[in-house]
Amino acid sequence: MKRPYNFSAGPATMPVEVLEQAAAEMLDWHGCGMGVMEMSHRGKEFISIYEQAEADLRALLAVPAHFRILFMQGGGLGQNAIVPLNLSRAGVVDFVVTGSWSQKSEREAHKYASEVNIVASGADSGFTTVPPPASWNLSRGASYVHLCSNETIHGVEFHALPDLRQLGSEAPLVIDFSSHVASRSVDWSRVGLAFAGAQKNLGPAGLTIVVVREDLLGHALPVCPSAFDLRNVAEHQSMFNTPPTWGIYVAGLVFQWILRQREGALSGVAALEQRNIAKAALLYGAIDNSQLYYNKVAPHCRSRMNIPFFLRDESRNEAFLAGARANGLLQLKGHKSVGGMRASLYNAMPLEGVQALVGYMQEFERTQA
């Protein structure tokens, strides 16, 4: 059966071979007589799954030894509270606001920090560009600086992380990299904590990845719940409470799939980054060379993962979406807050899917627009 191409922003498309392996092991994992959802999280079977997943994620993201990898619940919205509960020290925190997700993070932090400063914002541009780091008004003595390194809704991406020390700040950088995690390398020398919901690039909904520098552990506010105290989670190897076992297992299969990817001499994340550059260039090229479609984001900060676009004649939106569905191109409707269309080109989206989308877009413009 030919599967449709799913352009959903999340939960999102997953590698077919991962889905097939999870299906094959559903009732009996490696001959143990149990499926993963039935296992004790403290049994030797699941411990082996967890340890392999952690080791593989460390390898594919090149996470240094002085960072801890945590598997948690709550998603990105949960981390919007968990991060200030652990890092704010009830002091001042800085936010770079570049779209809907960093806006939500900033609003949540007001509950836990004594002061929340928006040091830069893309609001005046309609969140179509990233304020240059040299223009940021960073606070003296901030507990941390938060940014969303890829905005899923507005399609804005930091293609390089800022060096806060060069900007005169000693604060650790916190990044929400939910929608581009494992699509490119990370400069960990510039990061204090990174978090990601798994449901876009790494696995099923319900699992959250946190990568945190060890010196940032142990500073949780007294009101922080024990299950959200990052030091507590780290000391219990993500098993202070029952972890999302199925999510960890499937994410582990995705990690192994990523490690197997090859593009010439490149492997793993580097191979996927090359593919992602090619996929995004193909779709942006089709949009930019069209008389019907357009993208609002400044070219230097366009997302490779989430590409919003609009029809100049919006009365054709429903016809476009209906035709896309008929051609096996799913979940292209834009977020309700911005309208238009959006194609998410996560790691598991093959180049053939983007080629099919571009072919449909060109045919629609030629025959119906």
Side-chain angles (χ1 to χ4, degrees), residues 44 91 186 261 263 291:
K44 64 178 183 179
V186 177
Q261 300 309 298
E263 285 291 333
Q291 298 299 310

Side-chain angles (χ1 to χ4, degrees), residues 318-332 357 360 364:
E318 290 306 316
F320 177 87
L321 290 168
R325 288 191 295 270
N327 281 273
L329 307 168
L330 307 181
Q331 302 293 317
L332 285 166
L357 173 58
Y360 167 70
F364 183 88

Side-chain angles (χ1 to χ4, degrees), residues 89-253:
R89 310 189 193 207
V92 178
V93 295
D94 282 352
F95 277 81
V96 181
V97 177
T98 52
S100 292
W101 288 105
S102 48
Q103 276 186 320
K104 291 178 180 180
S105 301
E106 180 263 328
R107 289 168 184 161
E108 186 73 12
H110 283 273
K111 299 177 183 178
Y112 312 105
S114 64
E115 186 176 346
V116 177
N117 290 330
I118 298 177
V119 301
S121 174
D124 288 346
S125 72
F127 297 124
T128 59
T129 191
V130 169
S135 71
W136 298 357
N137 187 24
L138 295 166
S139 304
R140 185 183 300 274
S143 297
Y144 65 88
V145 178
H146 177 113
L147 62 83
C148 180
S149 48
N150 186 83
E151 291 278 2
T152 316
I153 293 174
H154 287 92
V156 172
E157 182 172 1
F158 285 83
H159 290 292
L161 295 175
D163 185 339
L164 294 185
R165 288 191 175 184
Q166 283 192 354
L167 299 175
S169 173
E170 296 297 321
L173 178 66
V174 171
I175 63 170
D176 173 357
F177 65 163
S178 294
S179 52
H180 71 164
V181 59
S183 72
R184 64 183 226 205
S185 61
V186 177
D187 184 350
W188 293 105
S189 70
R190 298 185 176 188
V191 177
L193 181 149
F195 67 84
Q199 69 274 13
K200 300 176 185 296
N201 245 344
L202 296 182
L207 170 65
T208 309
I209 307 295
V210 178
V211 183
V212 57
R213 210 170 62 207
E214 287 182 336
D215 65 291
L216 298 178
L217 301 173
H219 305 291
L221 299 178
V223 298
C224 181
S226 298
F228 298 156
D229 183 332
L230 297 181
R231 181 174 65 177
N232 199 27
V233 178
E235 288 177 347
H236 289 84
Q237 288 74 50
S238 300
M239 296 191 192
F240 176 73
N241 62 323
T242 304
T245 54
W246 174 257
I248 293 170
Y249 157 71
V250 177
L253 299 183

Side-chain angles (χ1 to χ4, degrees), residues 24-102:
E25 296 176 346
M26 176 68 77
L27 299 180
D28 186 358
W29 182 82
H30 294 200
C32 73
M34 298 177 289
V36 174
M37 286 187 284
E38 305 170 285
M39 292 177 181
S40 166
H41 62 293
R42 303 194 186 279
K44 64 178 183 179
E45 294 86 1
F46 183 74
I47 293 296
S48 71
I49 292 171
Y50 162 81
E51 290 177 343
Q52 187 67 58
E54 182 184 22
D56 288 342
L57 182 58
R58 187 174 294 275
L60 71 89
L61 293 184
V63 177
H66 63 291
F67 282 75
R68 299 297 298 270
I69 295 174
L70 311 178
F71 296 109
M72 300 182 69
Q73 292 126 321
L77 289 178
Q79 290 300 319
N80 285 343
I82 292 170
V83 169
L85 278 166
N86 281 270
L87 301 190
S88 73
R89 310 189 193 207
V92 178
V93 295
D94 282 352
F95 277 81
V96 181
V97 177
T98 52
S100 292
W101 288 105
S102 48

